[in-house]
């Protein structure tokens, strides 16, 4: 142990789009969306709210809570699948905006699992050098990467960012471990094309543009079982019982996925932080936004064991344990 979260922050776009608003865009009903997903609304970016803007604002709040100056940061990692440019990385824009002149910066792409993968990477840096101060962000503007004529997907996702600052602290606290998996064989269940190739030999004819395409029902089936197995495996490896976990912060994809998971793991519902109704699925941003809200609502205290679990495109999935 030893890698601790020193501060958290989040940032959501101003504009709230309700299920009723979506009735005007696609053939759906507010009731269908609510009952099938548990989502009531999502935030959608407007002018000046690119992925890096949201990421920067979330990072500023995390820096403030941690009492660390941006100039002290050594590394910035942003987990995202929806930066406004392919290059430079979103992390480089955040580095520029924060004036984090000492930090090197790069992005991680693991879809909805990106934040937990990046946090795990951050833990390794801190273990290697206890002086390191690292900013880990999950940020998405998925509204830019949705097919707004596809009711199977456009109702599910939202925009937002969450951030944490990590560093070393002595004592019986910190990052405990993780249990991650990927299965590229299942990539077709959830994917997004890159821009069309300019090399005619490599051009994928059926590329309809760069937006999310998903087999929702199949994803649903895999998600519940995969997260349950990842959680059980991690608890067994770390010899920690679910009873001793104070709070579970899952990826916020769909309330039915979460309810299934809660049932299978037999976790009291009060122990699970859920905000999918307000924000929808914000992919890599969902866990750090939920973590920040849980922290600011006073649901996390020193010594609490927190369990995270996630599932997303790749496919990628896994679970992480930390002691606050
Ligand atoms: O981070 C991981 C990302 N992915 C996910 O979390 C997605 C996981 N999957 C899901 O959340 C659910 O599968 C959905 C919410 C996407 C869909 O719910 P479902 O209960 O699995 O519905 P379905 O796909 O089985 O579709 C049932 C019906 C279909 O009509 P027919 O074929 O039965 O006539 C759909 O065409 O519902 C229809 N449908 C809609 N109806 C109204 C699909 N989307 C909509 C919609 N409004 N927005």
């Amino acid at each position: 142990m030893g890698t601790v979260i020193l501060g958290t922050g989040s940032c959501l776009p101003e504009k709230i789009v309700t299920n009723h608003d979506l009735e005007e865009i696609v053939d759906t009903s507010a009731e269908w969306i609510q009952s099938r997903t548990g989502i009531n609304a999502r935030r959608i970016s407007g002018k000046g709210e690119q992925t890096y803007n949201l990421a920067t604002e979330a990072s500023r709040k995390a820096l403030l809570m941690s009492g660390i100056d941006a100039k002290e940061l050594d590394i910035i990692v942003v987990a995202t699948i929806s930066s406004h440019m392919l290059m430079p990385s979103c992390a480089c824009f955040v580095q520029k905006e924060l004036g984090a002149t000492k930090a090197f910066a790069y992005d991680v792409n693991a879809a909805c699992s990106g934040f937990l993968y990046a946090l795990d990477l951050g833990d390794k840096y801190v273990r290697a050098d206890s002086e390191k101060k690292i900013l880990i962000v999950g940020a998405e503007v998925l509204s830019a990467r949705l097919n707004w004529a596809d009711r199977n997907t456009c109702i599910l996702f939202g925009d937002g960012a969450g951030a944490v600052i990590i560093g070393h602290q002595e004592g019986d606290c910190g990052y405990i471990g993780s249990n991650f998996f990927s299965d590229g064989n299942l990539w077709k269940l959830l994917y997004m094309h890159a821009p069309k190739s300019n090399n005619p030999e490599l051009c994928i004819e059926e590329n309809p543009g760069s937006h999310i395409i998903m087999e929702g029902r199949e994803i649903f089936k895999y998600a519940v079982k995969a997260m349950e197995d990842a959680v059980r495996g991690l608890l067994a490896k770390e010899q920690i019982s679910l009873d001793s976990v104070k709070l579970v912060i899952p990826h916020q994809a769909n309330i039915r996925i979460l309810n299934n998971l809660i049932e299978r793991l037999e976790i009291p519902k009060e122990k699970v932080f859920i905000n999918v109704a307000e924000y929808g699925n914000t992919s890599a941003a969902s866990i750090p936004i939920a973590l920040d809200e849980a922290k600011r609502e006073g649901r996390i205290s020193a010594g609490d064991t927190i369990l995270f679990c996630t599932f997303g495109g790749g496919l990628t999935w896994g679970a992480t344990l930390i002691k606050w």
Side-chain angles (χ1 to χ4, degrees):
M1 286 205 242
T3 305
V4 295
I5 293 178
L6 301 164
T8 65
S10 60
C11 174
L12 280 309
E14 299 245 314
K15 187 175 168 191
I16 298 171
V17 173
T18 65
N19 293 347
H20 285 293
D21 295 331
L22 292 179
E23 289 175 342
E24 310 294 317
I25 299 173
V26 282
D27 178 17
T28 190
S29 70
E31 293 69 30
W32 191 97
I33 301 172
Q34 215 295 319
S35 63
R36 298 289 179 118
T37 70
I39 299 166
N40 294 328
R42 68 286 296 141
R43 301 296 182 92
I44 299 295
S45 279
K47 276 202 168 50
E49 292 178 328
Q50 295 282 16
T51 314
Y52 78 91
N53 299 119
L54 303 179
T56 301
E57 195 46 37
S59 303
R60 286 203 176 105
K61 291 177 184 167
L63 284 165
L64 199 63
M65 188 191 284
S66 66
I68 287 169
D69 191 90
K71 293 202 166 27
E72 296 173 62
L73 290 173
D74 296 287
I75 306 168
I76 298 173
V77 185
V78 178
T80 186
I81 53 165
S82 57
S83 191
H84 74 302
M85 286 193 179
L86 281 183
M87 181 189 70
S89 65
C90 184
C92 280
F93 281 99
V94 172
Q95 188 253 1
K96 167 182 90 74
E97 292 293 307
L98 291 176
T101 42
K102 192 170 80 167
F104 68 86
Y106 61 92
D107 288 356
V108 161
N109 173 346
C112 305
S113 307
F115 176 77
L116 291 189
Y117 280 25
L119 187 63
D120 192 66
L121 207 53
D123 170 58
K124 306 291 182 286
Y125 282 121
V126 175
R127 277 173 202 258
D129 179 353
S130 61
E131 293 299 307
K132 292 275 183 270
K133 299 282 182 284
I134 304 175
L135 167 62
I136 310 281
V137 189
E140 303 286 6
V141 173
L142 293 169
S143 59
R145 294 284 163 257
L146 291 172
N147 173 0
W148 286 99
D150 177 15
R151 67 178 184 173
N152 290 296
T153 50
C154 76
I155 55 133
L156 292 174
F157 297 94
D159 304 338
V164 298
I165 310 291
I166 62 171
H168 178 82
Q169 196 173 290
E170 292 297 331
D172 177 26
C173 59
Y175 196 89
I176 298 170
S178 59
N179 192 24
F180 292 143
F181 303 89
S182 303
D183 187 351
N185 289 307
L186 298 171
W187 71 270
K188 273 200 166 175
L189 298 184
L190 181 52
Y191 64 96
M192 176 161 59
H193 281 285
K196 260 196 197 308
S197 174
N198 293 331
N199 177 339
E201 302 288 328
L202 300 177
C203 195
I204 299 168
E205 286 307 325
E206 62 271 24
N207 181 347
S210 199
H211 57 249
I212 290 175
I213 298 172
M214 183 181 71
E215 297 283 345
R217 210 180 300 184
E218 284 302 301
I219 287 282
F220 194 115
K221 274 194 287 186
Y222 278 102
V224 177
K225 178 83 176 76
M227 282 194 286
E228 181 193 0
D229 289 350
V231 166
R232 288 198 191 282
L234 179 60
L235 291 168
K237 186 171 78 170
E238 302 297 344
Q239 298 189 311
I240 289 174
S241 75
L242 249 182
D243 287 346
S244 61
V245 170
K246 179 75 187 305
L247 188 66
V248 181
I249 303 184
H251 168 50
Q252 312 283 316
N254 178 320
I255 195 67
R256 284 161 55 220
I257 292 179
L258 297 182
N259 285 340
N260 260 278
L261 187 68
I262 288 167
E263 226 170 82
R264 291 170 82 128
L265 288 171
E266 297 178 66
I267 326 169
K269 216 168 175 180
E270 321 76 74
K271 270 195 182 183
V272 185
F273 192 90
I274 298 176
N275 64 5
V276 67
E278 288 166 87
Y279 307 133
N281 181 345
T282 58
S283 192
S286 95
I287 288 178
I289 292 170
L291 172 63
D292 183 48
E293 293 196 340
K295 177 70 190 139
R296 286 173 199 270
E297 287 172 20
R299 291 189 62 180
I300 302 174
S301 309
D304 287 351
T305 300
I306 317 285
L307 171 68
F308 302 91
C309 57
T310 188
F311 187 90
L315 299 180
T316 58
W317 68 96
T320 297
L321 275 167
I322 61 171
K323 190 167 181 186
W324 203 268

